[in-house]
Amino acid sequence: MRHYMVIAILLLSAAARAEYPAGFEILKKMDGNMTAETRVFTSKMIVHGRRDTRTVESRSWTQGDRRAYTEYLAPPREQGIKMLKLDDRLWLYSPAADRIIQISGHMLRQSVMGSDLSYEDMLEDPRLSELYTAEVIAAETIERRPCWVLQLTAVKDLAYHSRKLWVDQERHIPLREELYGKSGKLLKKIDLKDFTQTDGRWFPLRMIFKDVLKAGAGTEFIMQSIEFNVPIPEHLFSKAALRR
């Protein structure tokens, strides 16, 4: 009898899964919301450390998925620091030392400004449909929003070998994400909140990152202003711009 019950449960599970949409199609729709030809935004990063909380403000210009330029505006200790991303390369300029250094190798795993984000996170291409396979494994509700739960597996060697995503079924935006290493160990959690509709897309104005291996209550990344598909001067995406 138990044998037949197990078979029945497996058949019901398979039937339910057959009704799920294609994971790759959901991922492509999500990418359409989260990426753009260009973005210009000012942001505030609130780092909730083990002993104190600090806020770092910046302005960023991004072009596609492969080029980005960021200038830090506050606090005074970080003011004038600049970061340049070109494809899979990353440079950092420190005005205190008047020096440009390339962030590579083991340095990529280091924390950015003491936050729960690493330099590796800054380099990662956000167009997930080009980097992962996707399968819908469940349907769940988060904050009264029906979501598809996607299991993502990297198609090449990446910082995060797999991801679990909760994607809003109606708006095709991620509400929650878990990032895993090759061993299957959970490394980071991300909650996305305060969505706004602009330029025909839904986009989060607040993201909460938590490195589960790091002490503290996580890092809030808050968009203070954002523009999509606006012209960006070409000179910003050069090493010469770091010293200007």
Side-chain angles (χ1 to χ4, degrees):
M1 184 66 178
R2 288 182 62 188
H3 177 71
Y4 289 114
M5 287 180 65
V6 169
I7 292 174
I9 290 169
L10 289 174
L11 288 172
L12 286 170
S13 177
R17 188 164 293 192
E19 295 177 3
Y20 293 159
F24 187 69
E25 292 303 317
I26 295 172
L27 200 58
K28 284 203 298 184
K29 289 177 181 177
M30 190 193 82
D31 279 345
N33 269 316
M34 301 297 289
T35 61
E37 287 186 22
T38 64
R39 286 188 297 183
V40 179
F41 59 90
T42 56
S43 60
K44 183 165 61 173
M45 188 167 67
I46 306 173
V47 184
H48 301 282
R50 186 171 55 184
R51 294 190 178 90
D52 58 5
T53 296
R54 56 194 299 271
T55 301
V56 180
E57 297 181 31
S58 63
R59 184 166 175 81
S60 298
W61 296 256
T62 68
Q63 187 177 68
D65 305 315
R66 307 305 296 171
R67 304 208 293 178
Y69 176 86
T70 297
E71 180 176 0
Y72 289 90
L73 308 174
R77 192 174 73 175
E78 275 83 22
Q79 187 176 8
I81 292 176
K82 297 171 185 175
M83 195 181 300
L84 174 68
K85 166 189 164 182
L86 298 176
D87 295 316
D88 58 353
R89 295 168 294 165
L90 189 67
W91 289 274
L92 190 70
Y93 169 71
S94 168
D98 191 25
R99 188 171 160 224
I100 297 173
I101 60 169
Q102 184 170 358
I103 308 294
S104 59
H106 70 278
M107 293 173 65
L108 287 169
R109 299 187 187 96
Q110 293 179 1
S111 164
V112 177
M113 307 286 181
S115 72
D116 289 64
L117 288 84
S118 68
Y119 289 105
E120 215 160 23
D121 294 331
M122 307 292 282
L123 269 179
E124 197 161 77
D125 189 334
R127 201 173 284 276
L128 298 179
S129 59
E130 296 177 2
L131 301 173
Y132 292 86
T133 61
E135 179 189 3
V136 178
I137 59 171
E140 296 179 7
T141 299
I142 293 181
E143 296 181 357
R144 293 181 290 184
R145 300 292 308 184
C147 293
W148 297 118
V149 184
L150 270 63
Q151 181 67 48
L152 274 54
T153 304
V155 298
K156 61 180 182 179
D157 190 26
L158 296 172
Y160 305 111
H161 178 70
S162 62
R163 297 171 181 249
K164 193 173 179 182
L165 280 172
W166 284 258
V167 181
D168 188 305
Q169 292 183 12
E170 180 186 356
R171 298 179 296 180
H172 299 107
I173 48 177
L175 303 186
R176 182 173 296 165
E177 188 171 2
E178 293 178 351
L179 312 179
Y180 295 84
K182 192 172 286 188
S183 67
K185 185 174 185 178
L186 176 62
L187 301 176
K188 290 185 181 175
K189 295 180 179 181
I190 307 170
D191 284 301
L192 300 94
K193 299 179 179 292
D194 301 344
F195 286 87
T196 185
Q197 193 170 25
T198 179
D199 194 37
R201 73 181 72 227
W202 288 96
F203 198 81
L205 296 181
R206 184 162 67 104
M207 291 168 274
I208 304 167
F209 296 83
K210 181 67 184 87
D211 184 337
V212 300
L213 307 179
K214 182 183 173 76
T219 297
E220 290 183 77
F221 194 90
I222 300 171
M223 293 285 187
Q224 296 173 299
S225 68
I226 185 164
E227 295 178 280
F228 294 99
N229 301 319
V230 293
I232 297 177
E234 183 67 23
H235 71 80
L236 281 181
F237 302 116
S238 68
K239 287 175 68 177
L242 292 171
R243 276 201 164 95
R244 286 191 179 127

